[in-house]
């Protein structure tokens, strides 16, 4: 990829912010999730289906990303370029958010009408997570819900619809940028055969929201709602 300028507070000049840096952020996030969930967690005696390990994995991955970009987010011009700003409060924003919610839930709605769920078509590990969620209570369940419904959507939208889509839309038409960012969202972060279509619809919906409103917030809301509904549906399917 070509380079574009990144403003860094306190330097008084622009530094180069290349596509390789964006790719590095995505790769580091994925590596952190993988190492914590499949290496460090099991070494400490946690099952991959453990709600505590899933929550810890999401939070640690988010912490690593935020530690790297927090200074960058302090620059007002940079926040605008990656859409980390509030959208305008008008009907277009509301309608776009509602439309994004509808698009993100198309696969689940079709399966529900067929009397099935995405999770019933998924891996044994996914069903084990649902059973653990349904059976557990207290702090473990709260931590899993907060990590899945709040932390993960915020960080994933910042990475894939903020930095990635922000870089792509400077190099290609908007629709192509949304499609590429959605495909990378699927194949880098959510590559599970049973959930490919659902993840793609979510990526397209949140990318569309970002471009139409000029803000990550509507897409974050869509992502949060989708994860919340999916987590609830997962516990029902495994129950």
């Amino acid at each position: 990829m070509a380079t574009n300028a990144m403003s860094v507070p306190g330097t008084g000049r622009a530094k180069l912010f290349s596509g390789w840096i964006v790719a590095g952020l995505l790769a580091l996030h994925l590596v952190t999730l993988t190492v914590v969930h499949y290496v460090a967690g099991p070494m400490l005696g946690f099952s991959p289906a453990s709600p505590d390990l899933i929550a810890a994995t999401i939070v640690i991955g988010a912490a690593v990303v935020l530690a790297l970009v927090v200074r960058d987010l302090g620059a007002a011009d940079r926040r605008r370029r990656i859409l980390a700003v509030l959208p305008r409060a008008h009907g277009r924003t509301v309608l776009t958010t509602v439309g994004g919610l509808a698009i993100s839930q198309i696969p689940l709605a079709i399966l529900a009408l067929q009397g099935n769920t995405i999770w019933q078509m998924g891996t044994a590990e996914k069903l084990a997570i649902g059973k653990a969620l349904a059976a557990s209570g207290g702090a473990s369940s709260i931590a899993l819900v907060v990590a899945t419904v709040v932390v993960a959507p915020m960080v994933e939208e910042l990475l894939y619809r903020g930095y990635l889509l922000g870089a792509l839309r400077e190099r290609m038409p908007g629709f192509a940028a949304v499609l590429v960012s959605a495909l990378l969202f699927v194949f880098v972060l959510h590559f599970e055969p049973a959930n490919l279509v659902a993840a793609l619809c979510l990526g397209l919906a949140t990318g569309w929201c970002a471009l139409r409103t000029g803000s990550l917030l509507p897409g974050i809301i869509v992502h949060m709602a989708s994860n919340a509904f999916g987590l609830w549906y997962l516990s029902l399917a495994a129950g």
Side-chain angles (χ1 to χ4, degrees), residues 28-193:
L28 179 61
H29 181 241
L30 179 63
V31 169
T32 301
L33 296 179
T34 302
V35 170
V36 173
H37 192 68
Y38 293 107
V39 180
M43 287 179 62
L44 294 174
F46 290 96
S47 164
S50 163
D52 291 328
L53 179 56
I54 296 169
T57 300
I58 293 171
V59 171
I60 292 172
V64 169
V65 169
L66 293 177
L68 292 176
V69 304
V70 64
R71 195 174 180 202
D72 188 33
L73 293 174
D77 61 332
R78 189 65 194 162
R79 290 199 302 271
R80 287 191 293 271
R81 292 186 68 180
I82 64 171
L83 309 180
V85 294
L86 293 175
R88 293 182 179 179
H90 51 45
R92 178 186 177 91
T93 298
V94 175
L95 290 176
T96 300
T97 305
V98 172
L101 285 167
I103 294 170
S104 70
Q105 295 305 312
I106 288 174
L108 194 56
I110 293 174
L111 287 172
L113 290 174
Q114 296 174 344
N116 206 340
T117 73
I118 293 172
W119 311 109
Q120 288 169 340
M121 300 169 65
T123 63
E125 181 178 312
K126 285 288 186 182
L127 293 177
I129 294 170
K131 291 178 181 178
L133 179 63
S136 64
S140 294
S141 292
I142 293 173
L144 179 60
V145 170
V146 171
T148 304
V149 177
V150 180
V151 178
M154 293 178 66
V155 172
E156 290 173 15
E157 291 305 310
L158 176 64
L159 285 174
Y160 287 87
R161 257 63 67 178
Y163 283 97
L164 178 59
L165 181 58
L168 291 173
R169 69 193 183 111
E170 295 179 353
R171 296 159 170 81
M172 60 183 69
F175 174 78
V178 169
L179 178 59
V180 172
S181 66
L183 287 172
L184 287 173
F185 174 69
V186 172
F187 289 101
V188 173
L189 197 58
H190 294 288
F191 188 71
E192 182 178 285

